[in-house]
Amino acid sequence: MQFAFNLSADRKLSLQNEVFERIRTMILDGQLRPGDSLPATRIMSDQLQVSRNTISLAYERLRSEGYLETRRSVGTFVSSQLPEAGLNAKLGSASAAPERTQSSFAGAIRPVRAQSLMNPHHDRLMVDFWVGRPDPRSFPTKLWSHLIAKRLLYAGANLTDYRQPWGQLELRQEIAKHLRPARGIIADPDDIMIIGGCQDGLNLVGRLLLRPGTPAVVERPCYQGAAYLFESLHATLFPVPVDAWGLNTMQLPDVSNAVVYVTPSHHYPLGVTLSLERRLELLTWASRTQSYVVEDDYDSDFRFEGSPITALKGLDRFDRVIYLGTFSKCMGAGLRLGYAVVPTAMREAARNMKALMNNGQPWLEQAAMADFMKSGHYVSHLRRIRRSYMAKRECLLAALSEHFGSCTVLGDPAGMHLAWHLPESLPLASKIEAAALKEGVGVYTPTSGCSTYLGEEGDSDRVLVMGFSSLTEKEIKLGIGRLAASIHGLNS
Ligand SMILES: Cc1ncc(COP(=O)(O)O)c(C=O)c1O
């Protein structure tokens, strides 16, 4: 038997490896079928002009990996144990395996939409009012590197062993201490889980509670990361409108065993705060309908007016709220660190699910964060950035009123962005977004800014969302000046 290959002149592999690879590929591609015989090593070495030893070693490796078998005194054959259906028989008969084309896989891949957290235009913008980005200058780099280095020195087996998937006890205890005064939540550290930010928490909740068709009540507009995740799990979405007092609880659907997703401290993207009356209505509804509420408290550390509002979780007497907090906004999204406070009844299942998902978050960052909190640096860091974001917010409000007169703005008492409701005299938000982009300024309609109306857009094109936290005051003034010029250009 002659073999239909020669060795390549431009050799990247050793001779032995090349023979091994060529024969292996012929088997996997179906050019050689189970039971086919191979030439004796001597004949093969003559044909390929390589030493017999090279061929013997290649055969030996193919044999040890299960591709070939030797029948004593008869010869060497392609292993008869290989399942023919697993091989791609290009020369095959009617019984051959299907061709490995794209279409044979296409049915198995579900289409998934993702939240757009990275602005595709960022690099070509002079001033970008993109939402939810901390100021990179605010990260406590020096202290953080010191804390990391110190923990590394004594890390021992912490870096090599698996740890509890629900997170380090020290950090959970610090979070419990923080949540009580900051958010009015009295949490048992055992009900706290360290997660990879709110998105990881949403996944955890989704995997625990959502089946195809489970009702998922979401805000309209809704943060894309939640809506698209629930959609990917085949939940049935019920968008409920948000007005100046937050989610309109009068319009909650007539369903039970649902999951409700809310951003009550600072609605994303419109910035409104869920009123106390509606908070209580929502909790009563959840208890009556045996539903769970997911409270995404992504930027609640920043409240500039009045005292911090007690979280829904802090008001929850029915143990129906899953609270999600994150270090992405007050420290940085690159840490991928956050926390969930789960109902006690959910504790065990949530811990097990976290293990199935990813075996927990990195030990080193958890340890450094625990030290950062324990030493009191976290509270002073929050105080410092809160002051700085408040000054930026005031600068933005002043610049808007300087160029546009009195503006209807929502969401400015808290958070890292605000929502400007455009007066009738100005063009549509999408037109302004496009014109500003040409001037090197990024401002966003709610749908460009990582939220979705789930196909019920309504009057969404009359709102611009504007983040201010990552900009300097100089940039904010420059940006609003250029925005005004671009709108003027549209009107003239
Ligand atoms: C409303 C909301 N929830 C969650 C997140 C994501 O947070 P994390 O980085 O903690 O996953 C964001 C990010 O911008 C957000 O706006």
Side-chain angles (χ1 to χ4, degrees), residues 3 58 80 90 96 129 170 174 187 254 260 306 327 345 354 364 372 398 429 448:
F3 249 52
S80 52
K90 283 186 186 149
F129 290 95
E170 270 177 284
E174 288 307 316
D254 183 16
V260 188
F327 292 110
K354 181 69 177 149
L364 191 56
F372 189 60
S448 313

Side-chain angles (χ1 to χ4, degrees), residues 301-314:
D301 294 305
F302 310 115
R303 176 147 286 275
F304 312 120
E305 291 169 19
S307 49
I309 291 171
T310 302
L312 259 185
K313 180 77 183 163

Side-chain angles (χ1 to χ4, degrees), residues 115-117 130-133 195-202 219 222-226 261-263 266-269 296-299 324-329 332-334 336-339 416-417 449-450:
Q115 68 277 31
S116 43
L117 282 174
W130 188 250
V131 278
R133 283 186 306 155
I195 52 178
C198 288
Q199 196 62 37
D200 191 37
L202 289 169
E219 299 163 319
C222 181
Y223 173 55
Q224 288 175 353
Y261 168 81
V262 275
T263 48
H266 193 233
H267 172 258
Y268 193 83
D296 181 349
D297 213 21
Y298 66 108
D299 69 355
L324 302 180
T326 182
F327 292 110
S328 288
K329 305 300 171 188
R336 303 313 307 138
L337 220 49
Y339 43 95
M416 305 158 88
H417 75 273
C450 211

